Amino acid sequence: GAGVSQSPRYKVAKRGQDVALRCDPISGHVSLFWYQQALGQGPEFLTYFQNEAQLDKSGLPSDRFFAERPEGSVSTLKIQRTQQEDSAVYLCASSGPGLPYEQYFGPGTRLTVT
Amino acid sequence: EDQVTQSPEALRLQEGESSSLNCSYTVSGLRGLFWYRQDPGKGPEFLFTLYSAGEEKEKERLKATLTKKESFLHITAPKPEDSATYLCAVQVSLQAAGNKLTFGGGTRVLVKP
């Protein structure tokens, strides 16, 4: 079956521009996660949705970062007024209800802020 | 604070040369420990979940084990296609922690023919 898809795969933004990154989770998965991965590092948690409810946004680095999942399926991560330090790969993952808890990741969006 | 440390950072192996990767963790209450494989330019690919000390899981040339403080990923007789970054992550059982994964920095494995 189809896995997690993300678009765009690559995004170049000039400093100060707003960007929107999309995630389409595995069908039927109620949980959706966003992670940020810097070059050579492990992914770091940003935010978590259960259906349409954003239950944890403790990892969002600033109020320039905003995520939504209005209908409990597709999610969008928005970054306003991008800065160079926002350059990273943004990964989306989804998992089903209950056990097992493993998360399945999409290919990521590589954001470069110039 | 939950912490996950992986060692070594990088590992160069000859084809057929078995080795082990270490993942040590400090968490308030472990719900599960996860191993992922990540190829360049791709998202992490799920390998294993371990839930309790003493548990072992195998998949082809990979075997994961878990103790109360660390996990090992053993690679037996590796092939060049096993070259990748291997990531370890923990999920804690506290309700307030939700379901997020806390990752280590990864071990980059290169298997030379």
Side-chain angles (χ1 to χ4, degrees):
Chain A
V4 178
S5 60
Q6 293 187 245
S7 62
R9 290 295 318 279
Y10 304 92
K11 177 71 178 177
V12 179
K14 291 186 177 179
R15 193 174 61 172
Q17 282 186 331
D18 297 349
V19 298
L21 312 180
R22 176 189 168 107
C23 172
D24 208 330
I26 293 172
S27 177
H29 278 190
V30 300
S31 298
L32 186 146
F33 304 81
W34 285 98
Y35 294 86
Q36 181 189 59
Q37 187 173 27
L39 191 64
Q41 310 271 328
E44 291 194 357
F45 171 78
L46 293 176
T47 187
Y48 157 56
F49 290 86
Q50 187 167 321
N51 296 305
E52 68 278 2
Q54 188 174 20
L55 298 186
D56 186 353
K57 53 182 180 179
S58 62
L60 296 176
S62 78
D63 58 8
R64 296 186 295 104
F65 286 71
F66 171 76
E68 61 184 5
R69 193 186 185 197
E71 297 179 357
S73 178
V74 170
S75 176
T76 304
L77 176 68
K78 297 179 179 179
I79 308 174
Q80 297 176 325
R81 305 181 302 282
T82 53
Q83 304 293 317
Q84 281 195 317
E85 60 263 28
D86 299 335
S87 296
V89 174
Y90 290 86
L91 294 164
C92 176
S94 69
S95 67
L99 281 171
Y101 294 115
E102 49 255 27
Q103 297 176 17
Y104 294 90
F105 284 81
T109 295
R110 179 176 295 279
L111 173 65
T112 303
V113 181
T114 61
Chain B
E1 184 179 331
D2 304 324
Q3 287 194 333
V4 181
T5 303
Q6 292 189 246
S7 62
E9 289 186 2
L11 191 59
R12 294 165 67 97
L13 301 171
Q14 286 296 130
E15 184 172 1
E17 178 188 1
S18 301
S19 188
S20 293
L21 284 54
N22 178 266
C23 170
S24 61
Y25 61 91
T26 306
V27 298
S28 47
L30 184 70
R31 174 189 278 172
L33 185 140
F34 302 80
W35 282 98
Y36 286 86
R37 169 192 171 126
Q38 188 173 29
D39 293 298
K42 296 188 176 181
E45 175 189 346
F46 171 75
L47 292 174
F48 303 109
T49 309
L50 301 167
Y51 292 105
S52 57
E55 191 174 358
E56 299 182 351
K57 288 197 177 169
E58 288 187 67
K59 180 180 180 180
E60 296 180 359
R61 295 176 292 282
L62 301 178
K63 178 180 176 180
T65 61
L66 181 64
T67 73
K68 289 186 177 180
K69 294 184 178 181
E70 57 192 350
S71 177
F72 293 93
L73 184 66
H74 308 277
I75 310 178
T76 302
K79 298 182 177 182
E81 53 261 42
D82 295 321
S83 298
T85 294
Y86 291 87
L87 295 164
C88 165
V90 297
Q91 193 176 63
V92 298
S93 55
L94 293 176
Q95 185 67 25
N99 293 325
K100 68 180 180 184
L101 295 177
T102 300
F103 282 87
T107 295
R108 296 186 307 279
V109 175
L110 175 64
V111 182
K112 302 183 75 175

